[in-house]
């Protein structure tokens, strides 16, 4: 455990030096602020066109539009940023060889993988909470009176999908030892999941539905239990990928 | 600018500041360093300036050379 916390601390310190923390916070703060504002402003922008003779009927924006923007931004660009920023987490140390000394001094290999996952989980959780908090505050300010349903599961779902991406880039990075391998693994798995999504009735079990599919839940449409299978599959994939990464890393020559 | 849009300016400013800050940080870093993992200075400047949020993120994670 001592090793685990020491290594996690080193990872967190490194994320400050490499600006990873700053970048993630900046990007997710932008999404948090942008989503409600974009929902609120789009109809206003169209109204300005009316003076030039074009009339476009837009329904009055609602708080749900704001959350739709939130799920879209976080579920697409946000996940892309997350995968890119953590793509070097295993790869850069493997290619630079900075782990050799630590491993020679008796650092356990599974500790490396697990504490890297833990450290990146902390960073992702902080950025996601910042994004969610800002979006929540702005939405509450713009739309005084609105209700959301099943907030817990609806907002946890994209976070769980983010965790899946983190475990994929760690697995990919360990397997290939470079950033491109890590990003390609991530891309292939996401593409594969999307292809599987074409098959009818698999959506319920597909982790991809977690990265934005829970929007209707907020509006009170659908059942919470519809998303439980996807969450379970996602959690099992995360565990399998981490175990896989540990096994690969134990056999790997650093 | 119509009245109803200008009332949102206080909300727009922080977004613009952060986005611009990311871009400027990337540009300064590119101009101060001449080692990149791949590509050259011009390529990274173009990427950081023209690809909204992702550009600077790409530079800092896969473009920036090791010090």
């Amino acid at each position: 455990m001592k090793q685990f916390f020491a290594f996690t601390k080193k990872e967190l310190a490194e994320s400050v030096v490499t600006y990873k923390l700053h970048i993630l916070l900046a990007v997710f703060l932008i999404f948090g602020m942008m989503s409600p504002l974009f929902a609120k402003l789009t109809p206003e922008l169209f109204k300005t066109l009316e003076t030039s003779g074009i009339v476009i009927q837009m329904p009055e924006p609602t708080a749900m539009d704001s959350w739709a923007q939130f799920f879209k931004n976080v579920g697409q660009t946000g996940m892309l940023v997350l995968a890119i920023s953590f793509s070097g987490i295993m790869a850069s140390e493997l290619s630079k060889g900075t782990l050799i000394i630590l491993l020679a001094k008796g650092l356990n290999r599974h500790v490396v993988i697990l504490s890297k996952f833990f450290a990146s989980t902390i960073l992702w959780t902080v950025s996601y909470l910042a994004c969610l908090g800002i979006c929540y505050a702005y939405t509450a300010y713009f739309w005084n009176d609105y209700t959301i349903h099943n907030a817990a599961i609806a907002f946890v779902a994209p976070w769980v999908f983010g965790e899946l991406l983190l475990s994929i880039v760690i697995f990919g990075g360990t397997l290939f030892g470079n950033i491109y391998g890590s990003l390609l693994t991530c891309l292939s798995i996401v593409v594969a999941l999307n292809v599987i999504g074409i098959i009818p009735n698999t959506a319920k079990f597909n982790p991809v539905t977690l990265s934005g599919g829970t929007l209707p839940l907020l509006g009170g449409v659908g059942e919470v239990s519809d998303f439980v299978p996807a969450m379970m599959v996602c959690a099992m994939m995360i565990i399998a990928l981490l175990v896989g990464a540990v096994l690969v890393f134990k056999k790997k020559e650093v | 600018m119509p009245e109803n849009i200008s009332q949102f300016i206080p909300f727009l400013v922080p977004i613009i500041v952060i986005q611009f800050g990311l871009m400027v940080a990337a540009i300064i870093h590119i101009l101060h360093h001449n080692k990149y993992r791949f590509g050259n200075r011009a390529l990274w400047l173009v990427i950081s300036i023209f690809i909204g949020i992702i550009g600077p993120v790409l530079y800092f994670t896969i473009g920036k050379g090791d010090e």
Side-chain angles (χ1 to χ4, degrees):
Chain A
M1 275 324 251
K2 209 174 147 199
Q3 281 188 342
F4 179 79
F5 286 115
F7 202 80
T8 308
K9 216 169 132 192
K10 172 233 155 215
E11 278 299 311
L12 291 175
E14 203 171 83
S15 70
V16 177
V17 178
T18 55
Y19 311 118
K20 202 181 277 164
L21 175 70
H22 309 77
I23 292 174
L24 280 173
L25 272 181
V27 170
F28 282 96
L29 280 180
I30 291 179
F31 288 152
M33 293 189 270
M34 201 167 76
S35 309
L37 203 61
F38 200 78
K40 191 82 179 169
L41 271 181
T42 314
E44 299 284 339
L45 288 173
F46 278 115
K47 267 184 210 156
T48 61
L49 288 176
E50 286 177 13
T51 45
S52 48
I54 308 163
V55 179
I56 299 162
Q57 287 293 328
M58 289 278 285
E60 198 58 28
T62 64
M64 280 311 285
D65 292 325
S66 162
W67 289 118
Q69 284 290 330
F70 172 85
F71 278 104
K72 197 183 122 239
N73 285 331
V74 173
Q76 294 169 6
T77 326
M79 294 301 166
L80 183 63
V81 168
L82 185 72
I84 294 174
S85 19
F86 284 103
S87 57
I89 192 163
M90 279 311 291
S92 57
E93 291 213 67
L94 286 176
S95 55
K96 272 188 274 176
T98 42
L99 281 175
I100 299 174
I101 306 166
L102 293 172
L103 291 175
K105 288 204 167 181
L107 177 66
N108 279 320
R109 291 193 172 212
H110 65 268
V111 171
V112 174
I113 304 278
L114 293 181
S115 54
K116 272 181 188 288
F117 181 70
F118 185 59
S120 44
T121 299
I122 294 176
L123 293 179
W124 163 229
T125 311
V126 169
S127 335
Y128 184 66
L129 283 180
C131 181
L132 184 62
I134 290 244
C135 189
Y136 193 88
Y138 270 41
T139 310
Y141 177 81
F142 286 145
W143 292 273
N144 293 319
D145 124 68
Y146 75 96
T147 43
I148 45 175
H149 308 267
N150 309 316
I153 192 127
F155 291 132
V156 163
W159 178 83
V160 176
F161 188 73
E163 290 288 285
L164 175 65
L165 288 187
L166 291 178
S167 58
I168 297 174
V169 288
I170 289 178
F171 175 75
T174 316
L175 194 61
F176 295 103
N178 58 51
I179 285 186
Y180 312 108
S182 157
L183 281 176
L184 270 179
T185 313
C186 193
L187 186 74
S188 339
I189 295 188
V190 173
V191 167
L193 287 177
N194 275 302
V195 170
I196 295 171
I198 298 174
I199 307 168
N201 304 327
T202 53
K204 209 174 162 183
F205 300 95
N206 200 327
V208 169
T209 42
L210 297 178
S211 79
T214 46
L215 176 67
L217 268 189
L218 270 189
V221 182
E223 293 288 325
V224 170
S225 54
D226 292 347
F227 292 91
V228 172
M231 289 250 189
M232 302 294 274
V233 172
C234 202
M236 282 190 285
M237 279 180 78
I238 293 171
I239 294 169
L241 282 161
L242 288 178
V243 170
V246 170
L247 293 178
V248 170
F249 194 46
K250 290 219 181 217
K251 292 230 168 98
K252 202 171 179 78
E253 282 190 33
V254 179
Chain B
M1 197 183 282
E3 186 63 23
N4 42 6
I5 289 195
S6 53
Q7 77 189 42
F8 291 109
I9 286 180
F11 296 99
L12 278 169
V13 170
I15 300 179
I16 296 167
V17 167
I18 297 179
Q19 199 156 4
F20 211 70
L22 262 182
M23 190 180 94
V24 170
I27 293 173
I28 291 174
H29 202 279
I30 295 170
L31 294 180
H32 279 269
H33 298 76
N34 47 18
K35 270 196 179 157
Y36 312 107
R37 217 166 280 167
F38 67 92
N40 54 27
R41 183 171 284 177
L43 172 81
W44 284 114
L45 280 176
V46 169
I47 291 179
S48 302
I49 295 171
F50 292 104
I51 314 181
I53 296 171
I54 306 282
V57 175
L58 276 176
Y59 172 68
F60 279 114
T61 46
I62 61 175
K64 182 164 72 79
D66 301 320
E67 279 152 48

